Amino acid sequence: MLIGVYEGGVWKIRVELPDAYSFGSLCLDVINQSWSPMFDLSNIFDVFLPQLLLYPNPSDPLNRDAASLMMKDRKQYDQKVKERVDEETVDDEDVTDEETGSSDDEIAGHVDPYGEDEQVKRSHVGFMDRLVAGNVERDQSWGWNMTSDPCKDKWLGVSCDSQSKLVKKVVLKQLNLTGVLDIGCLQADGNQISGHLPDSLKQLGDLKRFDISDNNLSSKVPDISGISGLITFLAQNNELSGEVPNLDFSNLLQFNISNNNFSGPIPDVKGRFSADSFSGNPGLCGEVVSRPCPPSTRKSGDSSTKQFAIYSGYAALGLVAVLFIAFKLVGKMKLKQDTIAVEANTSKHNNKTSSTSNKSMITENKSEYSISSFDSRAVLSSLVVLTSPTVQGLRFDDLLRAPAELLGKGKHGSLYKVMLDNGATTLAMKRIREWSITSEELKRRMRRLDQARHPNLLAPVAFYSSKQDNLLVYEYQPNGSLFRLLHGPESGQAFEWESRLNIAAIVAEELAFMHEELGEDGIAHGNLKSTNILFNQNMDPSISEYGLMEFQHQSFDLQSDNFGKDSYGSFKADIYGFGVILLKLLTWKPVQANGIDLARWVHSVVTEEWTVEVFDKALISQDASEERMLNLLQIALKCINPNPYERPNLNQVVLMINRLKDEEDRSSFDP
Ligand SMILES: Nc1ncnc2c1ncn2[C@@H]1O[C@H](COP(=O)(O)OP(=O)(O)OP(=O)(O)O)[C@@H](O)[C@H]1O
């Protein structure tokens, strides 16, 4: 299914196989490229053709008019495409193969015989066609056809504005209509529609795309939280008010309510939408727009409970502080081990702390740790140390008192480098606060990970879980992450093709091992990306943070909306994540939006030209084998197949990559 301007379009595609066709897969001839048996039919239909439509190559056009319009005025081009798609879709049954064949060449050259009114009329007629659905005898006197005018010819049920002669109201009562109105897309953007959004909106249970942007609508948005499949909600540039609509943000691909009058706290948008989606609403507050919400702000449902929890947290903190001072004053409390105070750790560690960044975590993040300090004895007993020899006997209190450095804040928490025993042991500690996992589930996962050890998997060495906090302790990896290698300060250094292939092979093997071992337990990685591929002293890559998150990567296939909510989805998401890592190794390009943008870019380049453009220039200058790079790219494309069910499993991926590695090894012995 295509989105954007092509949504709802229907294409007839004729595929001819060459007489000499003898390969197991198909070629790119369909888009005018030279023969290459690299891709199978599903790649062509699911990826290349949609990509060709969404990212046409105007510098090498089949249709010059279309290309020049696209270059000159993208908006008008999109509009033209939309009109053409609507037209072809409505008239689909009447279109012969020959007509379909010629229509592709005429997108921009086509002169639209209809004005805007005709477009509106066409939608009305289409609407009635659906309602009638062939079951009801349609009386000619009803109108509702393309040869008459809804206002002048007084279509049944239609009332018009007496001055503007535009349709104002449609009432279709008791006409015995039986058709099905499966509205998946409600799009009325760029008009001057004013008034209220009807409450009945919530009855459109099949709605996927809702776009009322650029109008003059001025009501609250009705409660449409029950529309579970909504993937687009665009309402920017109106005068809408009230609270931000309560939607399933983890499902939405597009969301924008900027330039309205919305007010109140912004709900948890799962990190998917930035301030741009909310700007121009001075009454909104929350982290996304960097405007703290006043304490009096109340929200219904979940968020009010959350806020209550936050404010209760503050209250508890205040109470702790008061108690702490009281205890100090009356001298009833000894500050030796339990108290989290600056003096306590400086006395033990100040001679070890040389730089300002290497402060104790307790000093640096005192407020963050004050909750843990509430009952430090309980905490001490609940750090679970796993089987790693590095940290035997480690206590929670050792971790808290050791000098620490904040390495980064990811989507799911903060990561600290913790130095124990005068720097002899260095650990990485991930702190995840709001995590919906239960302690039991965390324990189960940690145990399984501990049992399923792979030499290249960075398994946790200890963990701690309480209601407020979860800590996961890993061995510190001194040589940074793959992300850093590619984009960090050392990124200028040569990064050989052989090393990249090696990394790909090791990571694939590691992941395949984990999937095999933990498949039955439903534990996938869930958040595979280049910051989670770390290098040890020998520069061997290892996967870290395995099994922490349920599902992060979203395929850009809209059909897989619900995909990934089960553990099978998470395994397939890992394969997608691995595909993006391969793309990074091949292209050296940064990734945004979980790799979807990189995947799209690669597809667009591959589709347009099928040249080596896509590869990192350093690889080309190293004289790396083009054939093997193309083969690795092919594997990456299989992994990021928009249809998760079509992705290979990791054992297949390992086989393919190892085959490439063998070829590479043979070629280096026998150049
Ligand atoms: N064991 C480790 N040793 C050394 N560096 C690490 C270790 N674990 C993570 N890092 C690095 O610390 C930084 C922060 O990691 P963190 O996991 O908090 O964020 P992230 O991976 O960017 O995002 P996310 O929260 O989605 O995992 C990253 O650059 C990561 O590569």
Side-chain angles (χ1 to χ4, degrees), residues 249-508:
F249 284 93
S250 51
N251 217 17
L252 280 175
L253 293 181
Q254 289 178 295
F255 176 83
N256 196 332
I257 55 164
S258 59
N259 304 323
N260 278 289
N261 297 320
F262 285 101
S263 56
I266 295 176
D268 179 7
V269 293
K270 317 280 180 209
R272 297 171 68 100
F273 303 102
S274 64
D276 292 348
S277 298
F278 299 92
S279 61
N281 290 285
L284 284 180
C285 61
E287 213 176 299
V288 180
V289 288
S290 309
R291 228 180 352 252
C293 293
S296 59
T297 320
R298 287 275 180 271
K299 273 211 79 184
S300 58
D302 271 6
S303 51
S304 73
T305 324
K306 256 189 214 155
Q307 284 199 345
F308 177 72
I310 291 167
Y311 296 127
S312 323
Y314 289 147
L317 267 177
L319 189 64
V320 172
V322 170
L323 283 176
F324 178 73
I325 294 163
F327 276 134
K328 259 194 119 174
L329 282 176
V330 294
K332 283 189 180 170
M333 190 174 174
K334 292 194 178 108
L335 293 177
K336 209 170 171 189
Q337 195 174 21
D338 304 346
T339 313
I340 295 188
V342 180
E343 311 90 89
N345 54 79
T346 43
S347 68
K348 194 175 169 191
H349 290 292
N350 59 1
N351 51 347
K352 300 172 191 169
T353 316
S354 51
S355 76
T356 44
S357 64
N358 279 3
K359 286 177 194 159
S360 151
M361 277 180 25
I362 305 159
T363 316
E364 194 176 49
N365 299 293
K366 205 168 154 197
S367 62
E368 290 194 6
Y369 272 84
S370 31
I371 291 177
S372 311
S373 72
F374 190 57
D375 185 1
S376 57
R377 270 179 213 289
V379 156
L380 287 179
S381 59
S382 55
L383 181 82
V384 180
V385 176
L386 295 160
T387 49
S388 157
T390 334
V391 294
Q392 281 317 307
L394 179 74
R395 293 161 14 123
F396 190 81
D397 155 278
D398 300 331
L399 280 177
L400 286 188
R401 289 170 189 282
E405 184 186 330
L406 181 67
L407 285 186
K409 275 188 190 229
K411 239 188 293 156
H412 307 290
S414 310
L415 198 114
Y416 301 89
K417 178 180 175 185
V418 181
M419 283 142 289
L420 295 169
D421 309 328
N422 218 0
T425 310
T426 315
L427 299 172
M429 190 171 94
K430 176 122 184 164
R431 177 168 202 225
I432 308 175
R433 275 187 139 172
E434 284 186 8
W435 196 5
S436 50
I437 193 168
T438 61
S439 295
E440 283 317 304
E441 173 57 15
L442 182 65
K443 264 185 220 151
R444 181 188 78 89
R445 277 197 218 174
M446 293 297 124
R447 279 207 201 99
R448 285 299 289 121
L449 286 170
D450 199 36
Q451 287 160 1
R453 276 178 182 271
H454 182 280
N456 288 101
L457 186 96
L458 195 65
V461 291
F463 68 95
Y464 157 76
S465 168
S466 78
K467 255 193 181 147
Q468 297 90 349
D469 249 323
N470 296 283
L471 302 179
L472 297 146
V473 186
Y474 296 88
E475 283 177 22
Y476 178 76
Q477 301 300 296
N479 283 320
S481 64
L482 177 62
F483 178 87
R484 208 178 133 153
L485 191 67
L486 290 169
H487 309 296
E490 305 96 50
S491 66
Q493 289 172 16
F495 190 8
E496 310 283 331
W497 160 246
E498 288 80 4
S499 313
R500 300 189 199 200
L501 194 54
N502 211 26
I503 290 170
I506 295 177
V507 173

Side-chain angles (χ1 to χ4, degrees), residues 116-267:
E116 197 170 333
D117 293 352
E118 291 290 323
Q119 292 291 336
V120 174
K121 197 176 4 172
R122 191 182 303 282
S123 322
H124 281 114
V125 174
F127 175 75
M128 179 55 93
D129 285 347
R130 294 177 115 189
L131 287 178
V132 170
N135 295 326
V136 175
E137 197 64 30
R138 197 151 126 197
D139 194 321
Q140 282 303 309
S141 66
W142 285 15
W144 291 92
N145 53 43
M146 288 305 291
T147 50
S148 60
D149 183 88
C151 295
K152 272 196 237 132
D153 299 309
K154 301 204 169 38
W155 286 5
L156 183 72
V158 172
S159 332
C160 295
D161 186 278
S162 55
Q163 286 191 335
S164 65
K165 296 280 179 252
L166 291 174
V167 176
K168 206 171 87 186
K169 204 161 151 194
V170 177
V171 180
L172 296 169
K173 268 175 148 179
Q174 295 174 355
L175 293 178
N176 226 0
L177 303 174
T178 55
V180 179
L181 207 55
D182 51 345
I183 295 181
C185 171
L186 198 60
Q187 203 162 353
D189 52 311
N191 290 293
Q192 271 121 44
I193 305 171
S194 52
H196 288 57
L197 284 172
D199 222 33
S200 49
L201 203 59
K202 58 182 160 213
Q203 285 159 15
L204 301 177
D206 290 325
L207 199 61
K208 289 218 171 327
R209 190 176 159 81
F210 182 66
D211 184 352
I212 46 157
S213 53
D214 303 301
N215 279 293
N216 302 324
L217 290 156
S218 60
S219 60
K220 289 185 177 172
V221 178
D223 179 11
I224 51 172
S225 55
I227 306 179
S228 57
L230 199 66
I231 48 172
T232 296
F233 183 95
L234 298 175
Q236 66 269 29
N237 307 325
N238 278 287
E239 284 154 36
L240 295 164
S241 56
E243 293 184 344
V244 175
N246 181 12
L247 304 172
D248 179 2
F249 284 93
S250 51
N251 217 17
L252 280 175
L253 293 181
Q254 289 178 295
F255 176 83
N256 196 332
I257 55 164
S258 59
N259 304 323
N260 278 289
N261 297 320
F262 285 101
S263 56
I266 295 176

